[in-house]
Amino acid sequence: MPAAAAPTRHSSASGQHGALTADRAAALLAGCACPRRASELHAAAVRAGVDRDRAVDFRLQRAYAASGRLDLAVALLRRTPDPTAVFYTSTIHAHSSRGLHLAALALLSDMLSQGLLPTAHTLSASLPACSGLALGRALHGYAFKLALSADSYVATALLGMYARAGDAAAARALFDGMLDPHVVSVTAMLTCYAKMGALDDARNLFDGLPTKDFICWNAMIDGYTQHGRPDEALRLFRRMLRSGVEPDEVSVVLALSAVAQLGTAESGKWLHSYVKNSPRARLNARVGTALIDMYYKCGSLEDAVVVFDGLTDKDIVAWNAMINGYAMHGHSREALEMFFQLRAQGLLPTDITFIGLLHACSHSGLVAEGRKLFKSMEQEYGIEPKIEHYGCMVDLLGRAGLIEEAFDLAQSVKMKPDAVMWVSLLAACRLHKNLALGQRIADYLVARGLANSGMYILLSNIYAAVGKWQEVGRVRSMMKASGIHKEPGCSSIEVGRQVYEFVAGDMSHPRTDEIYAKLEEMNGLAKEHGHAPQTELVLHDLDEATKEKVLAVHSEKLAVSFGLISTPPGTAIKIVKNLRACSDCHAVLKLISKITGRKIVFRDRSRFHHFVDGSCSCGDYW
Ligand code: ZN
Ligand code: ZN
């Protein structure tokens, strides 16, 4: 024990009034949480020969534990003769509250193996260290056997354990058994619901809280952000500001992520200026990365670059965000350039880096570069490719027309088959009109039961193109039988900080008449400019004229029409769609950009399209 045995000049602890008694030493140690003071008192106790006194020994251990010298606390505990549960509990608590879970549980197991029975405090100190349900449940059973499970500290800790492990039902059972649940329990329950996506239950608890700290606000905002309700998340963040609770870094990052999902640049700018003046959220690497992510997803790569360049402490996560930004906007060369730069700075790429890079290659048909990067992942960086990396490679090869190779690669994937990968492969067959291979792939998928709702249109198109009407019928009945409907396409546009959403054929907007009048005008003009509606994209058994009508009211066309009538001439129109751009809409939007002289920035599920004067930044390669 070097610190304790070391001679010390500070003799104040022994006092000027004669020898230090055990009582006096114990009194001086009460509440001590300073490592220096603890070791001074320890040395004094050793000199006075009272350090082995039971009360002094205990308080020394507690003082070391409280001051963060856990090593010394454990060392003292080890030489304490017949330590009781109380001795163990304070050291267990010191470990578990500092996140040293394994050490805490090792001490608990030590204690139990000596035949000591845990107290309510031992259990409530140990439960936060249980990360798995199995151990937590075992402790719950133990607590029950000892008749301690109803103790309010134990119940609170048990609830926290179940909540962290995602067992909402078990947590709720404990919660309902509490007469007057402590705010800690309410917060744990709320966080559990929010994490699991039980947002209404979470919101009920949240609304019932008389006072809410920022942890509750963040948990609720996080729930909305993670479970597809970014608009609600942003609304709550604004309410948080109004309520006078100062958002911290976590709140800001969550709000930025909500804006990134929504793609609403105006809200994003507002948040950025909020961060600049915020008392609690600093513009560090974490917030900066969320800003980069937000800006490029809102269509402004330029703003993302400005934030990136201004960051002083860039980690790999910030670089990854910027690479993804370039990739999503089709600036593939810049994305690859970033890769060389980050390596030159001595940073190591992660698996996310490679997803961004492979996306960049696939959006621009950079086959050689993509192959090289894919190979280097494992060989140079020891990163095993995941299903997403295989998906990017299959997509890259397929788009470039190397469909055989893509098919071979897709079949070689040993992981769980990925629908996105097969859809991109089928799309490649259609793009390159390789119907023979498309049919082989279709047969392969149907035979293995891998076909899903997202593939039916492509499958049926491929069979129809080769005149296999029986198969067309088979795919259609599979589609009906599956009962799974395609996720409906939904496009949104932000006008005056308000977000308007449209689904196909939407009539819910108050300005529906004007929107449809504009739409009709645009569809007419597009036809005059040579656009032939791609009616083969419509799967249902309908006549040509009706198919045209179905295409004409796609959500992205409606959103653009609304943009045209509600924003000043000459300004850019920004649209966000939840699915991939449909090729008919892509063709029409190109023409609209030419006819109206408006720039249209369009974000689909995987990338950005910037339509200017009749052409798209993707070069029709998407
Ligand atoms: Zn469309
Ligand atoms: Zn495009």
Side-chain angles (χ1 to χ4, degrees), residues 231-278:
D231 47 340
E232 202 57 50
L234 199 56
R235 209 170 300 149
L236 208 58
F237 179 80
R238 290 203 162 104
R239 235 187 81 194
M240 178 180 187
L241 279 178
R242 283 199 302 275
S243 79
V245 176
E246 199 58 62
D248 67 346
E249 198 178 295
V250 177
S251 341
V252 168
V253 168
L254 288 170
L256 283 169
S257 147
V259 173
Q261 284 181 44
L262 289 165
T264 48
E266 288 309 309
S267 315
K269 287 225 163 69
W270 165 75
L271 261 173
H272 192 178
S273 62
Y274 169 77
V275 172
K276 283 179 188 157
N277 304 308
S278 162

Side-chain angles (χ1 to χ4, degrees), residues 586 609 611 616 618 622:
H586 193 271
H609 302 266
F611 299 98
C616 180
C618 74
W622 46 277

